[in-house]
Amino acid sequence: MDDLDWKLLALLQCNGRMTYTELARQVGLSVPAVTERVRRLEDAGVIEGYAAHINASAAGYVVTALIAITVQQPAKAKFLRLLETIPEVLECHHVTGADSYIMRLVAASMADLERLIGRINLYGETRTSIVMSTPLPARPLQPPPTAAKRR
Amino acid sequence: MDDLDWKLLALLQCNGRMTYTELARQVGLSVPAVTERVRRLEDAGVIEGYAAHINASAAGYVVTALIAITVQQPAKAKFLRLLETIPEVLECHHVTGADSYIMRLVAASMADLERLIGRINLYGETRTSIVMSTPLPARPLQPPPTAAKRR
DNA sequence: GCTGAAACGTCGGAGCT
DNA sequence: AGCTCCGACGTTTCAGC
């Protein structure tokens, strides 16, 4: 992971569909060299994949919410199986602190949001934060301070 | 936004680098038809962009944390300007509820995390949840129930 | 929405610095 | 480890329908 790898990561985080030819031009390497580096980053698991980023409201979802929940240990497995069945739950993290899980979900209406929360908080107390705006939208990961000169 | 558009969105959310040829094969349309549909989805803002997904721990970040903070109204603008200067803060949402903002950040070490929180909670009380695992990683957005037959 | 053809990008391998 | 050259193949783009 040298500077060039981080340059490639920066470019691919901003435009995941950039061609190898264009990447090569931007970092000043040949196409085979770039292809090889990207392949290594993928194989090493640094690049987990590529995804189109969808605007939820443009896609018909009115609300995005972040929900924290406290679930008793014995119910956790069943709770996670429930989440699998709710497509509106877009991701879920197991966290330290007072909450057990924090998840991000979308809903097509307030009524739907209420219904979804109704199903979810059978498993514990929830705290719902509705996203009003996103002043800092997803930003590319940059090289960590200590790894700047690693090879 | 018909079924085919959602099929394309599903495919591109799973593999953002899928070629138009492959997309066309999977949805049973010609390549120009698919190209045109994707272009429209991009122009309409449904597809906001394409991004490589990076594994933070493989990239040298030890911790991912979700931090909620309560900031007094007059300090909000200055707080957001601070966040801009901290590359470890990957996204930040303005939310309803007891908290003002919820952000996701990474740190290269526990010491770095402590330092980052130190800078952040000059603006208000924070609640930090460290992500231990992600039982439900980012899932593709599916068509909302009501929009199923929209055109 | 579909062809078809030209331009461009990608992926091998061989040989070299 | 990187570069170039090469050829074959796949992909994109643009015209015209």
Side-chain angles (χ1 to χ4, degrees), chain B residues 24-36:
Chain B
R25 207 185 58 73
Q26 299 237 9
V27 301
L29 250 56
S30 71
V31 172
V34 165
T35 310
E36 179 62 12

Side-chain angles (χ1 to χ4, degrees), chain B residues 113-132:
Chain B
L113 179 63
E114 189 175 10
R115 252 191 302 277
L116 291 169
I117 293 175
R119 293 175 63 189
I120 288 169
N121 75 2
L122 294 176
Y123 288 88
E125 279 307 298
T126 56
R127 185 179 57 251
T128 302
S129 302
I130 293 178
V131 175
M132 295 184 286

Side-chain angles (χ1 to χ4, degrees), chain A residues 4-39 41-42 47 50, chain B residues 17 52:
Chain A
L4 262 63
D5 285 327
W6 277 106
K7 188 96 184 277
L8 292 171
L9 289 181
L11 291 166
L12 285 172
Q13 285 180 93
C14 292
N15 179 7
R17 283 182 79 84
M18 194 175 282
T19 63
Y20 291 118
T21 307
E22 179 64 14
L23 284 172
R25 206 184 59 72
Q26 300 238 5
V27 301
L29 250 55
S30 70
V31 172
V34 166
T35 311
E36 179 62 13
R37 276 174 179 265
V38 173
R39 201 189 56 72
L41 289 168
E42 289 169 353
I47 297 177
Y50 304 88
Chain B
R17 280 182 81 83

